[in-house]
Amino acid sequence: MADFSFFSKFLFPELCFGCRADLDDSRVLCSDCFARIGKFRTLFCGKCRARLPLARKICHRDFPYILGAATSYGNEVVKKLIYSLKFKSLSSAAEPLTKILCDYSEGIFSDINIKKFTVVPVPLAPSRLKERGFNQSEIIAGGLARHFKLELNKNVLIRTRETKPQSEQNHFESRFENVRGCFLAKKEMLTGTKGIVLIDDVTTSGATFLEASTALKEAGVRRIIALSVAMA
Ligand SMILES: [Zn+2]
Ligand SMILES: [Zn+2]
């Protein structure tokens, strides 16, 4: 499709997603509205979502990942940013989302030694990638990897089959059923990595993170921190 962004910018100057103020640059959120987005301060147990103020005291130790979520999907501005990025291909929405995740991660990483961890985005189903043209988790993962100077690997985790969108699964159980066994991790790409920082934009049931983490564990990864910008 032709790029009409110049004309749309000319005809419809960008308004802040939060307060509707005029923004004279390519941002979609003003600094005040960005600062108002509440962020969590802890990691969570992936299984029961108990807050883990200390990353060492984990309640469900056998669960394959520890969950990190920067903010709540209940936040309307965050929801709008994610929706615009994914379904309207508004790339400028990726910047505040990445920054929210980086700001949150500054806090939680101070407690964990993430040196030699590799950042891995959750891959999109091939049909969705074709339709959307980009993987929003990959953009966010790239920004996070640059910020923390970590290696980014977009190819280690692959989808082995098509799945339906998780957002169309209305029941908790069908979300797990939909993605069961859909990932494969390439073991040969994981030598030397101490752990994985797995990135997705939103986590709801945790089914996608669980499947992706299970595949990574099967390939020999010992520690997985699954990070999402928002938690529903
Ligand atoms: Zn604003
Ligand atoms: Zn737990």
Side-chain angles (χ1 to χ4, degrees):
M1 207 178 79
D3 180 12
F4 293 112
S5 58
F6 173 79
F7 297 102
S8 71
K9 179 92 188 151
F10 179 70
L11 293 167
F12 313 104
E14 213 73 74
L15 296 179
C16 171
F17 272 26
C19 65
R20 313 288 298 157
D22 268 319
L23 295 172
D24 51 9
D25 49 28
S26 63
R27 286 180 308 159
V28 291
L29 201 61
C30 76
S31 327
D32 287 346
C33 287
F34 180 82
R36 264 198 293 274
I37 295 173
K39 286 186 280 293
F40 295 123
R41 290 169 189 274
T42 64
L43 286 160
F44 301 86
C45 170
K47 184 161 178 74
C48 71
R49 292 201 172 174
R51 286 178 193 246
L52 306 173
L54 291 168
R56 294 173 293 279
K57 289 194 171 176
I58 302 162
C59 38
H60 289 91
R61 285 204 164 268
D62 291 338
F63 203 67
Y65 68 88
I66 301 178
L67 176 65
T71 187
S72 166
Y73 196 54
N75 183 308
E76 289 302 323
V77 173
V78 172
K79 200 180 276 182
K80 202 172 163 189
L81 286 169
I82 291 174
Y83 182 86
S84 303
L85 175 62
K86 279 165 92 162
F87 303 109
K88 293 185 176 175
S89 300
L90 184 71
S91 55
S92 45
E95 199 219 309
L97 292 171
T98 306
K99 192 162 168 16
I100 292 166
L101 191 60
C102 287
D103 287 357
Y104 162 77
S105 301
E106 287 280 0
I108 57 158
F109 286 167
S110 64
D111 219 21
I112 313 164
N113 183 6
I114 53 150
K115 254 192 244 167
K116 297 200 178 159
F117 269 52
T118 302
V119 181
V120 174
V122 169
L124 272 188
S127 58
R128 217 101 54 244
L129 185 61
K130 211 170 166 190
E131 189 178 64
R132 200 172 290 165
F134 63 93
N135 175 357
Q136 72 284 349
S137 300
E138 202 175 292
I139 299 174
I140 295 166
L144 185 114
R146 271 194 302 280
H147 184 86
F148 290 100
K149 298 186 170 64
L150 295 172
E151 186 202 340
L152 172 73
N153 193 326
K154 304 183 280 195
N155 305 313
V156 64
L157 193 63
I158 54 169
R159 294 249 183 186
T160 55
R161 62 174 175 85
E162 283 290 346
T163 53
K164 298 193 183 87
Q166 285 292 77
S167 54
E168 288 173 11
Q169 309 303 309
N170 295 323
H171 301 288
F172 200 76
E173 273 309 311
S174 57
R175 284 176 174 257
F176 284 87
E177 199 52 53
N178 186 39
V179 291
R180 192 156 292 147
C182 80
F183 295 107
L184 179 80
K186 295 180 183 168
K187 198 172 182 169
E188 66 276 13
M189 282 191 181
L190 290 162
T191 46
T193 186
K194 292 272 182 232
I196 297 290
V197 180
L198 186 63
I199 308 285
D200 209 354
D201 53 347
V202 186
T203 183
T204 303
S205 61
T208 305
F209 272 157
L210 178 61
E211 285 303 323
S213 300
T214 303
L216 287 163
K217 284 254 155 168
E218 278 168 8
V221 175
R222 292 180 62 189
R223 297 192 72 190
I224 299 163
I225 304 168
L227 283 187
S228 63
V229 178
M231 174 161 71

